[in-house]
Amino acid sequence: MTRAAFFVLTALADEPRHGYGILREVEELSDGEVQLRVGTLYGVLDRLTADGLIVLDREEVQQGRLRRYYRLTDDGVAALDAAARSAEGWATRKSLPPVSPTRRG
C-alpha cells in the first residue's frame, strides 16, 4: 500500500469525506508531511474504489459544485488495520532505514 493510500484510508476512518476534506485531513494527520495534489488524490481514490476498499457514500451539491463523499468498506477497514500493524512492526525494527523528509505521498 502506498503512503498516499494509507493516509487517504486513515482520513476516512472516522467519517465519510469529500475530496477537499480528504486533502485537509491527510495533511493534518501527517503533520504536513504528505500534501497530496488533486490529481494524485483522485488517482488514489479511483484505485481504492476499484480495489473495493472505499465506496461512494453520497453526492451533494454545495455552492453549485458537486461533492462526492467517500467512505471505507469493511475490506478497507481491514486493509487499514493490516497496514497500521505492518507499520508498527517496521517502526520497532532496528534496521529500519531513515525516512526522507522530502518524500511526498
Side-chain angles (χ1 to χ4, degrees), residues 24-59:
R24 287 191 326 227
E25 186 69 9
V26 165
E27 187 172 351
E28 185 176 319
L29 288 167
S30 69
D31 292 326
E33 287 191 28
V34 178
Q35 297 176 356
L36 299 175
R37 295 175 194 252
V38 173
T40 301
L41 171 65
Y42 285 102
V44 171
L45 292 174
D46 287 345
R47 283 190 303 277
L48 293 174
T49 300
D51 291 344
L53 303 181
I54 65 172
V55 293
L56 183 64
D57 184 67
R58 67 186 183 278
E59 295 179 328

PDB file of all heavy atoms in Angstrom, residues 24-59:
ATOM      1  N   ARG A  24      -7.325  17.935   3.253  1.00  0.00           N
ATOM      2  CA  ARG A  24      -7.032  18.631   4.519  1.00  0.00           C
ATOM      3  C   ARG A  24      -6.721  17.647   5.633  1.00  0.00           C
ATOM      4  O   ARG A  24      -5.789  17.851   6.414  1.00  0.00           O
ATOM      5  CB  ARG A  24      -8.217  19.513   4.923  1.00  0.00           C
ATOM      6  CG  ARG A  24      -8.372  20.749   4.087  1.00  0.00           C
ATOM      7  CD  ARG A  24      -9.371  21.707   4.684  1.00  0.00           C
ATOM      8  NE  ARG A  24     -10.457  20.990   5.353  1.00  0.00           N
ATOM      9  CZ  ARG A  24     -11.737  21.244   5.205  1.00  0.00           C
ATOM     10  NH1 ARG A  24     -12.139  22.192   4.410  1.00  0.00           N
ATOM     11  NH2 ARG A  24     -12.649  20.551   5.859  1.00  0.00           N
ATOM     12  N   GLU A  25      -7.499  16.566   5.721  1.00  0.00           N
ATOM     13  CA  GLU A  25      -7.295  15.587   6.785  1.00  0.00           C
ATOM     14  C   GLU A  25      -5.958  14.862   6.621  1.00  0.00           C
ATOM     15  O   GLU A  25      -5.249  14.635   7.608  1.00  0.00           O
ATOM     16  CB  GLU A  25      -8.456  14.587   6.813  1.00  0.00           C
ATOM     17  CG  GLU A  25      -8.418  13.617   7.966  1.00  0.00           C
ATOM     18  CD  GLU A  25      -8.681  14.237   9.328  1.00  0.00           C
ATOM     19  OE1 GLU A  25      -9.071  15.421   9.413  1.00  0.00           O
ATOM     20  OE2 GLU A  25      -8.480  13.522  10.331  1.00  0.00           O
ATOM     21  N   VAL A  26      -5.591  14.514   5.408  1.00  0.00           N
ATOM     22  CA  VAL A  26      -4.299  13.860   5.157  1.00  0.00           C
ATOM     23  C   VAL A  26      -3.157  14.777   5.589  1.00  0.00           C
ATOM     24  O   VAL A  26      -2.216  14.341   6.258  1.00  0.00           O
ATOM     25  CB  VAL A  26      -4.155  13.451   3.675  1.00  0.00           C
ATOM     26  CG1 VAL A  26      -2.710  13.107   3.323  1.00  0.00           C
ATOM     27  CG2 VAL A  26      -5.072  12.280   3.357  1.00  0.00           C
ATOM     28  N   GLU A  27      -3.251  16.042   5.233  1.00  0.00           N
ATOM     29  CA  GLU A  27      -2.197  16.987   5.619  1.00  0.00           C
ATOM     30  C   GLU A  27      -2.108  17.094   7.141  1.00  0.00           C
ATOM     31  O   GLU A  27      -1.017  17.094   7.711  1.00  0.00           O
ATOM     32  CB  GLU A  27      -2.446  18.352   4.993  1.00  0.00           C
ATOM     33  CG  GLU A  27      -1.302  19.311   5.221  1.00  0.00           C
ATOM     34  CD  GLU A  27      -1.435  20.608   4.441  1.00  0.00           C
ATOM     35  OE1 GLU A  27      -2.330  20.723   3.583  1.00  0.00           O
ATOM     36  OE2 GLU A  27      -0.622  21.501   4.705  1.00  0.00           O
ATOM     37  N   GLU A  28      -3.258  17.152   7.814  1.00  0.00           N
ATOM     38  CA  GLU A  28      -3.260  17.246   9.269  1.00  0.00           C
ATOM     39  C   GLU A  28      -2.733  15.969   9.925  1.00  0.00           C
ATOM     40  O   GLU A  28      -1.909  16.024  10.841  1.00  0.00           O
ATOM     41  CB  GLU A  28      -4.675  17.534   9.771  1.00  0.00           C
ATOM     42  CG  GLU A  28      -4.735  17.753  11.268  1.00  0.00           C
ATOM     43  CD  GLU A  28      -6.134  18.135  11.735  1.00  0.00           C
ATOM     44  OE1 GLU A  28      -6.803  18.927  11.055  1.00  0.00           O
ATOM     45  OE2 GLU A  28      -6.539  17.611  12.786  1.00  0.00           O
ATOM     46  N   LEU A  29      -3.197  14.820   9.453  1.00  0.00           N
ATOM     47  CA  LEU A  29      -2.757  13.543  10.027  1.00  0.00           C
ATOM     48  C   LEU A  29      -1.259  13.322   9.877  1.00  0.00           C
ATOM     49  O   LEU A  29      -0.634  12.693  10.733  1.00  0.00           O
ATOM     50  CB  LEU A  29      -3.496  12.384   9.353  1.00  0.00           C
ATOM     51  CG  LEU A  29      -4.967  12.212   9.693  1.00  0.00           C
ATOM     52  CD1 LEU A  29      -5.620  11.237   8.728  1.00  0.00           C
ATOM     53  CD2 LEU A  29      -5.134  11.748  11.136  1.00  0.00           C
ATOM     54  N   SER A  30      -0.693  13.828   8.790  1.00  0.00           N
ATOM     55  CA  SER A  30       0.736  13.627   8.523  1.00  0.00           C
ATOM     56  C   SER A  30       1.588  14.783   9.030  1.00  0.00           C
ATOM     57  O   SER A  30       2.778  14.843   8.726  1.00  0.00           O
ATOM     58  CB  SER A  30       0.962  13.437   7.025  1.00  0.00           C
ATOM     59  OG  SER A  30       0.718  14.642   6.333  1.00  0.00           O
ATOM     60  N   ASP A  31       0.986  15.667   9.788  1.00  0.00           N
ATOM     61  CA  ASP A  31       1.704  16.865  10.274  1.00  0.00           C
ATOM     62  C   ASP A  31       2.345  17.638   9.129  1.00  0.00           C
ATOM     63  O   ASP A  31       3.463  18.133   9.233  1.00  0.00           O
ATOM     64  CB  ASP A  31       2.759  16.493  11.317  1.00  0.00           C
ATOM     65  CG  ASP A  31       2.146  15.985  12.616  1.00  0.00           C
ATOM     66  OD1 ASP A  31       1.068  16.468  13.002  1.00  0.00           O
ATOM     67  OD2 ASP A  31       2.756  15.102  13.249  1.00  0.00           O
ATOM     68  N   GLY A  32       1.629  17.694   8.001  1.00  0.00           N
ATOM     69  CA  GLY A  32       2.093  18.459   6.854  1.00  0.00           C
ATOM     70  C   GLY A  32       3.101  17.763   5.961  1.00  0.00           C
ATOM     71  O   GLY A  32       3.526  18.320   4.961  1.00  0.00           O
ATOM     72  N   GLU A  33       3.492  16.534   6.319  1.00  0.00           N
ATOM     73  CA  GLU A  33       4.498  15.828   5.520  1.00  0.00           C
ATOM     74  C   GLU A  33       3.938  15.278   4.217  1.00  0.00           C
ATOM     75  O   GLU A  33       4.676  15.090   3.261  1.00  0.00           O
ATOM     76  CB  GLU A  33       5.130  14.709   6.335  1.00  0.00           C
ATOM     77  CG  GLU A  33       6.071  15.229   7.403  1.00  0.00           C
ATOM     78  CD  GLU A  33       6.891  14.124   8.027  1.00  0.00           C
ATOM     79  OE1 GLU A  33       7.143  13.111   7.343  1.00  0.00           O
ATOM     80  OE2 GLU A  33       7.264  14.278   9.188  1.00  0.00           O
ATOM     81  N   VAL A  34       2.644  14.976   4.189  1.00  0.00           N
ATOM     82  CA  VAL A  34       2.015  14.459   2.973  1.00  0.00           C
ATOM     83  C   VAL A  34       1.026  15.515   2.496  1.00  0.00           C
ATOM     84  O   VAL A  34       0.053  15.814   3.176  1.00  0.00           O
ATOM     85  CB  VAL A  34       1.287  13.122   3.224  1.00  0.00           C
ATOM     86  CG1 VAL A  34       0.594  12.642   1.955  1.00  0.00           C
ATOM     87  CG2 VAL A  34       2.265  12.076   3.738  1.00  0.00           C
ATOM     88  N   GLN A  35       1.322  16.106   1.361  1.00  0.00           N
ATOM     89  CA  GLN A  35       0.452  17.108   0.762  1.00  0.00           C
ATOM     90  C   GLN A  35       0.099  16.621  -0.642  1.00  0.00           C
ATOM     91  O   GLN A  35       0.865  16.808  -1.577  1.00  0.00           O
ATOM     92  CB  GLN A  35       1.144  18.470   0.730  1.00  0.00           C
ATOM     93  CG  GLN A  35       1.446  19.003   2.120  1.00  0.00           C
ATOM     94  CD  GLN A  35       2.217  20.302   2.086  1.00  0.00           C
ATOM     95  OE1 GLN A  35       2.593  20.786   1.038  1.00  0.00           O
ATOM     96  NE2 GLN A  35       2.462  20.850   3.254  1.00  0.00           N
ATOM     97  N   LEU A  36      -1.047  15.969  -0.725  1.00  0.00           N
ATOM     98  CA  LEU A  36      -1.467  15.394  -1.993  1.00  0.00           C
ATOM     99  C   LEU A  36      -1.933  16.473  -2.959  1.00  0.00           C
ATOM    100  O   LEU A  36      -2.603  17.415  -2.562  1.00  0.00           O
ATOM    101  CB  LEU A  36      -2.615  14.398  -1.773  1.00  0.00           C
ATOM    102  CG  LEU A  36      -2.320  13.197  -0.896  1.00  0.00           C
ATOM    103  CD1 LEU A  36      -3.587  12.384  -0.694  1.00  0.00           C
ATOM    104  CD2 LEU A  36      -1.245  12.345  -1.530  1.00  0.00           C
ATOM    105  N   ARG A  37      -1.601  16.298  -4.215  1.00  0.00           N
ATOM    106  CA  ARG A  37      -2.164  17.145  -5.257  1.00  0.00           C
ATOM    107  C   ARG A  37      -3.508  16.561  -5.646  1.00  0.00           C
ATOM    108  O   ARG A  37      -3.763  15.358  -5.470  1.00  0.00           O
ATOM    109  CB  ARG A  37      -1.235  17.183  -6.457  1.00  0.00           C
ATOM    110  CG  ARG A  37       0.096  17.833  -6.146  1.00  0.00           C
ATOM    111  CD  ARG A  37       1.017  17.730  -7.345  1.00  0.00           C
ATOM    112  NE  ARG A  37       2.368  18.036  -6.962  1.00  0.00           N
ATOM    113  CZ  ARG A  37       2.994  19.155  -7.299  1.00  0.00           C
ATOM    114  NH1 ARG A  37       2.398  20.053  -8.037  1.00  0.00           N
ATOM    115  NH2 ARG A  37       4.231  19.363  -6.910  1.00  0.00           N
ATOM    116  N   VAL A  38      -4.379  17.392  -6.188  1.00  0.00           N
ATOM    117  CA  VAL A  38      -5.722  16.953  -6.537  1.00  0.00           C
ATOM    118  C   VAL A  38      -5.685  15.759  -7.491  1.00  0.00           C
ATOM    119  O   VAL A  38      -6.397  14.770  -7.289  1.00  0.00           O
ATOM    120  CB  VAL A  38      -6.551  18.121  -7.119  1.00  0.00           C
ATOM    121  CG1 VAL A  38      -7.892  17.636  -7.641  1.00  0.00           C
ATOM    122  CG2 VAL A  38      -6.750  19.196  -6.061  1.00  0.00           C
ATOM    123  N   GLY A  39      -4.857  15.810  -8.509  1.00  0.00           N
ATOM    124  CA  GLY A  39      -4.762  14.704  -9.461  1.00  0.00           C
ATOM    125  C   GLY A  39      -4.307  13.419  -8.812  1.00  0.00           C
ATOM    126  O   GLY A  39      -4.811  12.332  -9.121  1.00  0.00           O
ATOM    127  N   THR A  40      -3.374  13.523  -7.884  1.00  0.00           N
ATOM    128  CA  THR A  40      -2.895  12.355  -7.150  1.00  0.00           C
ATOM    129  C   THR A  40      -4.011  11.784  -6.290  1.00  0.00           C
ATOM    130  O   THR A  40      -4.226  10.573  -6.257  1.00  0.00           O
ATOM    131  CB  THR A  40      -1.682  12.720  -6.270  1.00  0.00           C
ATOM    132  OG1 THR A  40      -0.642  13.235  -7.093  1.00  0.00           O
ATOM    133  CG2 THR A  40      -1.178  11.512  -5.485  1.00  0.00           C
ATOM    134  N   LEU A  41      -4.738  12.661  -5.604  1.00  0.00           N
ATOM    135  CA  LEU A  41      -5.826  12.214  -4.745  1.00  0.00           C
ATOM    136  C   LEU A  41      -6.852  11.421  -5.538  1.00  0.00           C
ATOM    137  O   LEU A  41      -7.243  10.320  -5.136  1.00  0.00           O
ATOM    138  CB  LEU A  41      -6.513  13.393  -4.059  1.00  0.00           C
ATOM    139  CG  LEU A  41      -7.800  13.021  -3.308  1.00  0.00           C
ATOM    140  CD1 LEU A  41      -7.499  12.094  -2.135  1.00  0.00           C
ATOM    141  CD2 LEU A  41      -8.544  14.253  -2.868  1.00  0.00           C
ATOM    142  N   TYR A  42      -7.288  11.960  -6.679  1.00  0.00           N
ATOM    143  CA  TYR A  42      -8.332  11.271  -7.419  1.00  0.00           C
ATOM    144  C   TYR A  42      -7.828   9.974  -8.052  1.00  0.00           C
ATOM    145  O   TYR A  42      -8.592   9.019  -8.177  1.00  0.00           O
ATOM    146  CB  TYR A  42      -9.015  12.210  -8.411  1.00  0.00           C
ATOM    147  CG  TYR A  42      -9.931  13.136  -7.642  1.00  0.00           C
ATOM    148  CD1 TYR A  42      -9.562  14.447  -7.359  1.00  0.00           C
ATOM    149  CD2 TYR A  42     -11.135  12.670  -7.134  1.00  0.00           C
ATOM    150  CE1 TYR A  42     -10.380  15.270  -6.608  1.00  0.00           C
ATOM    151  CE2 TYR A  42     -11.963  13.491  -6.379  1.00  0.00           C
ATOM    152  CZ  TYR A  42     -11.582  14.793  -6.120  1.00  0.00           C
ATOM    153  OH  TYR A  42     -12.388  15.596  -5.365  1.00  0.00           O
ATOM    154  N   GLY A  43      -6.565   9.893  -8.357  1.00  0.00           N
ATOM    155  CA  GLY A  43      -5.985   8.624  -8.799  1.00  0.00           C
ATOM    156  C   GLY A  43      -6.014   7.594  -7.681  1.00  0.00           C
ATOM    157  O   GLY A  43      -6.360   6.426  -7.901  1.00  0.00           O
ATOM    158  N   VAL A  44      -5.671   8.015  -6.468  1.00  0.00           N
ATOM    159  CA  VAL A  44      -5.702   7.125  -5.310  1.00  0.00           C
ATOM    160  C   VAL A  44      -7.142   6.693  -5.032  1.00  0.00           C
ATOM    161  O   VAL A  44      -7.416   5.510  -4.785  1.00  0.00           O
ATOM    162  CB  VAL A  44      -5.073   7.797  -4.063  1.00  0.00           C
ATOM    163  CG1 VAL A  44      -5.309   6.965  -2.809  1.00  0.00           C
ATOM    164  CG2 VAL A  44      -3.586   8.030  -4.267  1.00  0.00           C
ATOM    165  N   LEU A  45      -8.080   7.642  -5.070  1.00  0.00           N
ATOM    166  CA  LEU A  45      -9.486   7.301  -4.836  1.00  0.00           C
ATOM    167  C   LEU A  45      -9.990   6.288  -5.864  1.00  0.00           C
ATOM    168  O   LEU A  45     -10.704   5.347  -5.510  1.00  0.00           O
ATOM    169  CB  LEU A  45     -10.356   8.557  -4.860  1.00  0.00           C
ATOM    170  CG  LEU A  45     -10.154   9.547  -3.705  1.00  0.00           C
ATOM    171  CD1 LEU A  45     -10.971  10.805  -3.937  1.00  0.00           C
ATOM    172  CD2 LEU A  45     -10.490   8.909  -2.360  1.00  0.00           C
ATOM    173  N   ASP A  46      -9.614   6.475  -7.123  1.00  0.00           N
ATOM    174  CA  ASP A  46     -10.016   5.519  -8.168  1.00  0.00           C
ATOM    175  C   ASP A  46      -9.472   4.126  -7.887  1.00  0.00           C
ATOM    176  O   ASP A  46     -10.182   3.126  -8.014  1.00  0.00           O
ATOM    177  CB  ASP A  46      -9.544   5.980  -9.548  1.00  0.00           C
ATOM    178  CG  ASP A  46     -10.327   7.161 -10.089  1.00  0.00           C
ATOM    179  OD1 ASP A  46     -11.423   7.479  -9.560  1.00  0.00           O
ATOM    180  OD2 ASP A  46      -9.841   7.791 -11.054  1.00  0.00           O
ATOM    181  N   ARG A  47      -8.183   4.034  -7.498  1.00  0.00           N
ATOM    182  CA  ARG A  47      -7.580   2.729  -7.208  1.00  0.00           C
ATOM    183  C   ARG A  47      -8.218   2.078  -5.983  1.00  0.00           C
ATOM    184  O   ARG A  47      -8.497   0.875  -5.985  1.00  0.00           O
ATOM    185  CB  ARG A  47      -6.068   2.865  -7.002  1.00  0.00           C
ATOM    186  CG  ARG A  47      -5.307   3.020  -8.304  1.00  0.00           C
ATOM    187  CD  ARG A  47      -3.811   2.907  -8.121  1.00  0.00           C
ATOM    188  NE  ARG A  47      -3.253   3.861  -7.167  1.00  0.00           N
ATOM    189  CZ  ARG A  47      -2.930   5.122  -7.452  1.00  0.00           C
ATOM    190  NH1 ARG A  47      -3.128   5.597  -8.664  1.00  0.00           N
ATOM    191  NH2 ARG A  47      -2.416   5.903  -6.537  1.00  0.00           N
ATOM    192  N   LEU A  48      -8.453   2.865  -4.941  1.00  0.00           N
ATOM    193  CA  LEU A  48      -9.058   2.309  -3.729  1.00  0.00           C
ATOM    194  C   LEU A  48     -10.491   1.847  -3.988  1.00  0.00           C
ATOM    195  O   LEU A  48     -10.933   0.829  -3.454  1.00  0.00           O
ATOM    196  CB  LEU A  48      -9.022   3.342  -2.593  1.00  0.00           C
ATOM    197  CG  LEU A  48      -7.637   3.702  -2.060  1.00  0.00           C
ATOM    198  CD1 LEU A  48      -7.733   4.833  -1.042  1.00  0.00           C
ATOM    199  CD2 LEU A  48      -6.931   2.493  -1.465  1.00  0.00           C
ATOM    200  N   THR A  49     -11.209   2.580  -4.841  1.00  0.00           N
ATOM    201  CA  THR A  49     -12.567   2.175  -5.215  1.00  0.00           C
ATOM    202  C   THR A  49     -12.520   0.880  -6.023  1.00  0.00           C
ATOM    203  O   THR A  49     -13.285  -0.056  -5.752  1.00  0.00           O
ATOM    204  CB  THR A  49     -13.270   3.293  -6.020  1.00  0.00           C
ATOM    205  OG1 THR A  49     -13.342   4.479  -5.205  1.00  0.00           O
ATOM    206  CG2 THR A  49     -14.669   2.895  -6.428  1.00  0.00           C
ATOM    207  N   ALA A  50     -11.629   0.807  -7.005  1.00  0.00           N
ATOM    208  CA  ALA A  50     -11.502  -0.396  -7.830  1.00  0.00           C
ATOM    209  C   ALA A  50     -11.111  -1.609  -6.991  1.00  0.00           C
ATOM    210  O   ALA A  50     -11.544  -2.734  -7.280  1.00  0.00           O
ATOM    211  CB  ALA A  50     -10.471  -0.169  -8.939  1.00  0.00           C
ATOM    212  N   ASP A  51     -10.334  -1.383  -5.935  1.00  0.00           N
ATOM    213  CA  ASP A  51      -9.901  -2.470  -5.054  1.00  0.00           C
ATOM    214  C   ASP A  51     -10.956  -2.839  -4.005  1.00  0.00           C
ATOM    215  O   ASP A  51     -10.750  -3.755  -3.210  1.00  0.00           O
ATOM    216  CB  ASP A  51      -8.598  -2.101  -4.339  1.00  0.00           C
ATOM    217  CG  ASP A  51      -7.406  -2.046  -5.285  1.00  0.00           C
ATOM    218  OD1 ASP A  51      -7.506  -2.571  -6.416  1.00  0.00           O
ATOM    219  OD2 ASP A  51      -6.376  -1.464  -4.880  1.00  0.00           O
ATOM    220  N   GLY A  52     -12.055  -2.082  -3.985  1.00  0.00           N
ATOM    221  CA  GLY A  52     -13.135  -2.365  -3.034  1.00  0.00           C
ATOM    222  C   GLY A  52     -12.863  -1.900  -1.619  1.00  0.00           C
ATOM    223  O   GLY A  52     -13.530  -2.335  -0.684  1.00  0.00           O
ATOM    224  N   LEU A  53     -11.898  -0.995  -1.447  1.00  0.00           N
ATOM    225  CA  LEU A  53     -11.546  -0.526  -0.108  1.00  0.00           C
ATOM    226  C   LEU A  53     -12.353   0.693   0.314  1.00  0.00           C
ATOM    227  O   LEU A  53     -12.495   0.962   1.518  1.00  0.00           O
ATOM    228  CB  LEU A  53     -10.050  -0.231  -0.025  1.00  0.00           C
ATOM    229  CG  LEU A  53      -9.144  -1.414  -0.373  1.00  0.00           C
ATOM    230  CD1 LEU A  53      -7.670  -1.021  -0.243  1.00  0.00           C
ATOM    231  CD2 LEU A  53      -9.461  -2.626   0.477  1.00  0.00           C
ATOM    232  N   ILE A  54     -12.863   1.443  -0.652  1.00  0.00           N
ATOM    233  CA  ILE A  54     -13.749   2.575  -0.379  1.00  0.00           C
ATOM    234  C   ILE A  54     -14.904   2.532  -1.376  1.00  0.00           C
ATOM    235  O   ILE A  54     -14.799   1.888  -2.420  1.00  0.00           O
ATOM    236  CB  ILE A  54     -13.037   3.951  -0.454  1.00  0.00           C
ATOM    237  CG1 ILE A  54     -12.543   4.233  -1.873  1.00  0.00           C
ATOM    238  CG2 ILE A  54     -11.910   4.044   0.568  1.00  0.00           C
ATOM    239  CD1 ILE A  54     -12.015   5.653  -2.058  1.00  0.00           C
ATOM    240  N   VAL A  55     -15.984   3.217  -1.032  1.00  0.00           N
ATOM    241  CA  VAL A  55     -17.126   3.361  -1.933  1.00  0.00           C
ATOM    242  C   VAL A  55     -17.632   4.793  -1.857  1.00  0.00           C
ATOM    243  O   VAL A  55     -17.368   5.509  -0.888  1.00  0.00           O
ATOM    244  CB  VAL A  55     -18.293   2.397  -1.602  1.00  0.00           C
ATOM    245  CG1 VAL A  55     -17.906   0.956  -1.851  1.00  0.00           C
ATOM    246  CG2 VAL A  55     -18.801   2.592  -0.193  1.00  0.00           C
ATOM    247  N   LEU A  56     -18.362   5.170  -2.882  1.00  0.00           N
ATOM    248  CA  LEU A  56     -19.022   6.462  -2.879  1.00  0.00           C
ATOM    249  C   LEU A  56     -20.150   6.400  -1.857  1.00  0.00           C
ATOM    250  O   LEU A  56     -21.007   5.518  -1.928  1.00  0.00           O
ATOM    251  CB  LEU A  56     -19.564   6.775  -4.274  1.00  0.00           C
ATOM    252  CG  LEU A  56     -20.231   8.126  -4.448  1.00  0.00           C
ATOM    253  CD1 LEU A  56     -19.242   9.259  -4.227  1.00  0.00           C
ATOM    254  CD2 LEU A  56     -20.845   8.212  -5.838  1.00  0.00           C
ATOM    255  N   ASP A  57     -20.122   7.292  -0.876  1.00  0.00           N
ATOM    256  CA  ASP A  57     -21.133   7.318   0.175  1.00  0.00           C
ATOM    257  C   ASP A  57     -22.354   8.118  -0.257  1.00  0.00           C
ATOM    258  O   ASP A  57     -23.478   7.689  -0.086  1.00  0.00           O
ATOM    259  CB  ASP A  57     -20.528   7.916   1.451  1.00  0.00           C
ATOM    260  CG  ASP A  57     -21.483   7.901   2.622  1.00  0.00           C
ATOM    261  OD1 ASP A  57     -21.802   6.787   3.096  1.00  0.00           O
ATOM    262  OD2 ASP A  57     -21.937   8.986   3.048  1.00  0.00           O
ATOM    263  N   ARG A  58     -22.102   9.308  -0.833  1.00  0.00           N
ATOM    264  CA  ARG A  58     -23.194  10.164  -1.294  1.00  0.00           C
ATOM    265  C   ARG A  58     -22.619  11.299  -2.133  1.00  0.00           C
ATOM    266  O   ARG A  58     -21.415  11.533  -2.131  1.00  0.00           O
ATOM    267  CB  ARG A  58     -23.981  10.736  -0.124  1.00  0.00           C
ATOM    268  CG  ARG A  58     -23.190  11.722   0.740  1.00  0.00           C
ATOM    269  CD  ARG A  58     -23.980  12.153   1.971  1.00  0.00           C
ATOM    270  NE  ARG A  58     -23.285  13.132   2.754  1.00  0.00           N
ATOM    271  CZ  ARG A  58     -22.333  12.885   3.641  1.00  0.00           C
ATOM    272  NH1 ARG A  58     -21.937  11.648   3.850  1.00  0.00           N
ATOM    273  NH2 ARG A  58     -21.748  13.859   4.311  1.00  0.00           N
ATOM    274  N   GLU A  59     -23.498  11.975  -2.837  1.00  0.00           N
ATOM    275  CA  GLU A  59     -23.124  13.173  -3.596  1.00  0.00           C
ATOM    276  C   GLU A  59     -24.010  14.325  -3.135  1.00  0.00           C
ATOM    277  O   GLU A  59     -25.207  14.125  -2.915  1.00  0.00           O
ATOM    278  CB  GLU A  59     -23.308  12.945  -5.094  1.00  0.00           C
ATOM    279  CG  GLU A  59     -22.393  11.891  -5.659  1.00  0.00           C
ATOM    280  CD  GLU A  59     -22.594  11.653  -7.142  1.00  0.00           C
ATOM    281  OE1 GLU A  59     -23.732  11.800  -7.632  1.00  0.00           O
ATOM    282  OE2 GLU A  59     -21.600  11.322  -7.807  1.00  0.00           O
TER     283      GLU A  59
END
